[in-house]
Amino acid sequence: MASVSAVIATYNRAPELRTALSRLLAQTHAVAEILVVDDGSTDGTDTMVRTEFPSVRYVRLPHNAGLIYARNFGFVNTTGDYVLSVDDDSWFEAPDGLARAVAFLESHADAAVVACNIETRDGLVYFPRAAAPFDVPWYVGCGHLLRRSAVASVGLYMPELYRQGEEKDRCLRLMGAGFRVVALPDVMVYHDKSEKGRKPGLERFYNHRNDLIREVARCPAGLLPWRFARAWIGNSWKNLRHGPRLTDLKVLAALPEIMRIGMKHRAPVGVEAYRRWQHLAATAAPGRVAEEKTSVVVLGPLPNPPPPSALSERQGRSPDAISACKHAREAREGTPPLVP
């Protein structure tokens, strides 16, 4: 049986985390390990986890490093074949939700990620419940299951993103490597969406900033000028409609940083993969597919990516050598440390 590690990043949401952990431990597919990464909570989260959930590994970061760093930390400090990510205020609605997600990945080697169907407490449902599994451009951070080997082949989240938009960048890289991101509409995750720590203005800024960083880092050269402008205009229009309107000025001031980070990580995907991702973003993005829609076009599978051994033989290096080089490079670029 494939092993599953669960990673939950948290910050000052002890009551919500208690519910999330209780629901996770009640899943019919046993989780091999649960790691809670505390990003500097001051509300007694540490005492609650250690006293009420002794089987859960708890690590408190020395300072608030951001959600993306916490998720990277959780990934490199777990060992399961699959890595489940839920928020500290989200959980599977059915006790066999995790089991069904694992079964799908076990039977679809070309799928790197299962995107669960998210239901929020205000009634929003991201995908049509009755739809068959279909390809999507990205998953939502509060409910997804990752194939560790696929993620390891493309790397961790960009730590400089800090928050917002990391899923889009990772999924674009996965698609560029020949993998699929697949929605399972019947695997429901409820997102209680706590208001603690949410700052709409800050979220809007990071959405805008990180979309631009992603374009610089991943867009093919021939499409980059247009796509960069399109990402700027699209986000500016959202800022005008929803505010705060000063966001554009803040993003403009951050432009040198945006270019520096984007160029540091620049590794554009192929044109075909990029256009496929664009198509899915326009037609199948989470939250964009209406609940009342009864049919969804299921895109055919992409060719299976070559195994790491084939890639290493082609390049004249062993898998161990490639892994060692990758670990050394990530250590220089701020990869979270391993902990016992």
Short mmCIF file of all heavy atoms in Angstrom, two decimals, residues 288-314:
data_model
loop_
_atom_site.label_atom_id
_atom_site.label_comp_id
_atom_site.label_asym_id
_atom_site.label_seq_id
_atom_site.Cartn_x
_atom_site.Cartn_y
_atom_site.Cartn_z
N ARG A 288 -13.93 28.32 -11.62
CA ARG A 288 -14.44 28.91 -12.87
C ARG A 288 -15.49 28.01 -13.51
O ARG A 288 -16.32 28.47 -14.27
CB ARG A 288 -13.29 29.15 -13.84
CG ARG A 288 -13.70 29.81 -15.14
CD ARG A 288 -12.50 30.34 -15.88
NE ARG A 288 -11.89 31.44 -15.15
CZ ARG A 288 -10.80 32.09 -15.54
NH1 ARG A 288 -10.17 31.72 -16.63
NH2 ARG A 288 -10.30 33.07 -14.81
N VAL A 289 -15.41 26.72 -13.24
CA VAL A 289 -16.37 25.78 -13.80
C VAL A 289 -17.64 25.84 -12.96
O VAL A 289 -17.62 25.56 -11.77
CB VAL A 289 -15.80 24.35 -13.80
CG1 VAL A 289 -16.75 23.40 -14.51
CG2 VAL A 289 -14.43 24.33 -14.48
N ALA A 290 -18.76 26.19 -13.56
CA ALA A 290 -19.99 26.42 -12.80
C ALA A 290 -20.51 25.13 -12.19
O ALA A 290 -20.39 24.06 -12.77
CB ALA A 290 -21.07 27.01 -13.71
N GLU A 291 -21.09 25.25 -11.00
CA GLU A 291 -21.64 24.08 -10.30
C GLU A 291 -22.74 23.40 -11.11
O GLU A 291 -22.88 22.19 -11.10
CB GLU A 291 -22.17 24.51 -8.94
CG GLU A 291 -22.95 23.45 -8.19
CD GLU A 291 -22.07 22.29 -7.74
OE1 GLU A 291 -20.86 22.50 -7.62
OE2 GLU A 291 -22.61 21.19 -7.54
N GLU A 292 -23.51 24.20 -11.86
CA GLU A 292 -24.62 23.60 -12.58
C GLU A 292 -24.21 22.92 -13.86
O GLU A 292 -25.00 22.26 -14.53
CB GLU A 292 -25.68 24.66 -12.88
CG GLU A 292 -25.21 25.78 -13.81
CD GLU A 292 -24.61 26.96 -13.04
OE1 GLU A 292 -24.27 26.77 -11.86
OE2 GLU A 292 -24.52 28.05 -13.61
N LYS A 293 -22.94 23.08 -14.26
CA LYS A 293 -22.47 22.46 -15.50
C LYS A 293 -22.52 20.94 -15.34
O LYS A 293 -22.01 20.38 -14.38
CB LYS A 293 -21.04 22.92 -15.78
CG LYS A 293 -20.51 22.51 -17.15
CD LYS A 293 -19.15 23.16 -17.38
CE LYS A 293 -18.57 22.79 -18.72
NZ LYS A 293 -17.26 23.40 -18.96
N THR A 294 -23.07 20.24 -16.29
CA THR A 294 -23.26 18.79 -16.15
C THR A 294 -22.27 17.98 -16.97
O THR A 294 -22.17 16.77 -16.79
CB THR A 294 -24.69 18.40 -16.57
OG1 THR A 294 -24.90 18.83 -17.93
CG2 THR A 294 -25.71 19.04 -15.66
N SER A 295 -21.58 18.61 -17.90
CA SER A 295 -20.60 17.87 -18.69
C SER A 295 -19.32 18.65 -18.78
O SER A 295 -19.33 19.86 -18.97
CB SER A 295 -21.14 17.59 -20.09
OG SER A 295 -21.36 18.80 -20.80
N VAL A 296 -18.22 17.96 -18.67
CA VAL A 296 -16.91 18.58 -18.75
C VAL A 296 -16.09 17.78 -19.75
O VAL A 296 -16.12 16.55 -19.75
CB VAL A 296 -16.20 18.56 -17.37
CG1 VAL A 296 -14.80 19.14 -17.49
CG2 VAL A 296 -17.01 19.37 -16.37
N VAL A 297 -15.38 18.48 -20.61
CA VAL A 297 -14.53 17.79 -21.56
C VAL A 297 -13.32 17.23 -20.82
O VAL A 297 -12.59 17.96 -20.16
CB VAL A 297 -14.05 18.75 -22.68
CG1 VAL A 297 -13.08 18.03 -23.60
CG2 VAL A 297 -15.25 19.26 -23.47
N VAL A 298 -13.13 15.94 -20.90
CA VAL A 298 -12.00 15.30 -20.24
C VAL A 298 -10.86 15.20 -21.24
O VAL A 298 -10.99 14.51 -22.26
CB VAL A 298 -12.38 13.90 -19.73
CG1 VAL A 298 -11.20 13.26 -19.01
CG2 VAL A 298 -13.59 13.99 -18.81
N LEU A 299 -9.79 15.90 -21.01
CA LEU A 299 -8.67 15.90 -21.93
C LEU A 299 -7.95 14.56 -21.86
O LEU A 299 -7.82 13.96 -20.81
CB LEU A 299 -7.70 17.03 -21.58
CG LEU A 299 -8.31 18.43 -21.67
CD1 LEU A 299 -7.26 19.44 -21.27
CD2 LEU A 299 -8.80 18.72 -23.09
N GLY A 300 -7.48 14.11 -22.99
CA GLY A 300 -6.78 12.85 -23.07
C GLY A 300 -5.45 12.92 -22.35
O GLY A 300 -4.88 13.99 -22.17
N PRO A 301 -4.94 11.76 -21.93
CA PRO A 301 -3.68 11.73 -21.20
C PRO A 301 -2.51 12.12 -22.08
O PRO A 301 -2.51 11.87 -23.29
CB PRO A 301 -3.57 10.27 -20.75
CG PRO A 301 -4.39 9.50 -21.74
CD PRO A 301 -5.51 10.42 -22.13
N LEU A 302 -1.55 12.77 -21.49
CA LEU A 302 -0.30 13.07 -22.16
C LEU A 302 0.59 11.85 -22.10
O LEU A 302 0.39 10.95 -21.27
CB LEU A 302 0.40 14.25 -21.47
CG LEU A 302 -0.34 15.59 -21.56
CD1 LEU A 302 0.38 16.59 -20.69
CD2 LEU A 302 -0.43 16.08 -22.98
N PRO A 303 1.59 11.77 -22.96
CA PRO A 303 2.53 10.64 -22.86
C PRO A 303 3.16 10.59 -21.49
O PRO A 303 3.45 11.62 -20.89
CB PRO A 303 3.57 10.96 -23.96
CG PRO A 303 2.87 11.91 -24.89
CD PRO A 303 1.92 12.69 -24.05
N ASN A 304 3.37 9.37 -21.00
CA ASN A 304 4.00 9.22 -19.70
C ASN A 304 5.40 9.82 -19.73
O ASN A 304 6.15 9.61 -20.68
CB ASN A 304 4.11 7.74 -19.32
CG ASN A 304 2.78 7.16 -18.91
OD1 ASN A 304 1.87 7.91 -18.54
ND2 ASN A 304 2.65 5.86 -18.99
N PRO A 305 5.78 10.59 -18.70
CA PRO A 305 7.13 11.14 -18.67
C PRO A 305 8.13 10.02 -18.51
O PRO A 305 7.83 8.98 -17.91
CB PRO A 305 7.10 12.04 -17.43
CG PRO A 305 6.04 11.47 -16.58
CD PRO A 305 4.99 10.93 -17.53
N PRO A 306 9.33 10.20 -19.05
CA PRO A 306 10.34 9.16 -18.90
C PRO A 306 10.74 9.01 -17.46
O PRO A 306 10.73 9.99 -16.70
CB PRO A 306 11.51 9.68 -19.74
CG PRO A 306 11.31 11.15 -19.79
CD PRO A 306 9.82 11.36 -19.77
N PRO A 307 11.08 7.78 -17.01
CA PRO A 307 11.51 7.59 -15.63
C PRO A 307 12.83 8.28 -15.38
O PRO A 307 13.61 8.53 -16.31
CB PRO A 307 11.66 6.07 -15.52
CG PRO A 307 11.89 5.61 -16.92
CD PRO A 307 11.10 6.54 -17.79
N PRO A 308 13.12 8.65 -14.11
CA PRO A 308 14.37 9.33 -13.79
C PRO A 308 15.59 8.56 -14.26
O PRO A 308 16.58 9.16 -14.67
CB PRO A 308 14.32 9.44 -12.25
CG PRO A 308 12.87 9.38 -11.91
CD PRO A 308 12.25 8.51 -12.94
N SER A 309 15.52 7.21 -14.24
CA SER A 309 16.68 6.44 -14.65
C SER A 309 16.99 6.66 -16.12
O SER A 309 18.14 6.73 -16.54
CB SER A 309 16.44 4.95 -14.39
OG SER A 309 15.27 4.52 -15.07
N ALA A 310 15.91 6.81 -16.95
CA ALA A 310 16.13 7.03 -18.37
C ALA A 310 16.74 8.39 -18.61
O ALA A 310 17.62 8.57 -19.45
CB ALA A 310 14.80 6.91 -19.13
N LEU A 311 16.26 9.39 -17.88
CA LEU A 311 16.83 10.72 -18.02
C LEU A 311 18.29 10.74 -17.62
O LEU A 311 19.13 11.35 -18.26
CB LEU A 311 16.04 11.72 -17.15
CG LEU A 311 14.63 12.05 -17.64
CD1 LEU A 311 13.94 12.92 -16.59
CD2 LEU A 311 14.68 12.77 -18.97
N SER A 312 18.60 10.05 -16.50
CA SER A 312 19.98 10.07 -16.02
C SER A 312 20.91 9.36 -16.99
O SER A 312 22.03 9.79 -17.21
CB SER A 312 20.06 9.42 -14.64
OG SER A 312 19.62 8.08 -14.69
N GLU A 313 20.43 8.24 -17.59
CA GLU A 313 21.27 7.54 -18.54
C GLU A 313 21.52 8.40 -19.76
O GLU A 313 22.61 8.41 -20.33
CB GLU A 313 20.61 6.22 -18.92
CG GLU A 313 20.58 5.20 -17.79
CD GLU A 313 19.71 4.01 -18.11
OE1 GLU A 313 19.19 3.98 -19.26
OE2 GLU A 313 19.55 3.14 -17.25
N ARG A 314 20.50 9.11 -20.18
CA ARG A 314 20.63 9.96 -21.36
C ARG A 314 21.64 11.07 -21.12
O ARG A 314 22.33 11.52 -22.01
CB ARG A 314 19.25 10.57 -21.69
CG ARG A 314 19.17 11.24 -23.05
CD ARG A 314 17.76 11.77 -23.28
NE ARG A 314 16.76 10.71 -23.05
CZ ARG A 314 15.49 10.99 -22.82
NH1 ARG A 314 15.07 12.23 -22.77
NH2 ARG A 314 14.63 10.00 -22.64
#
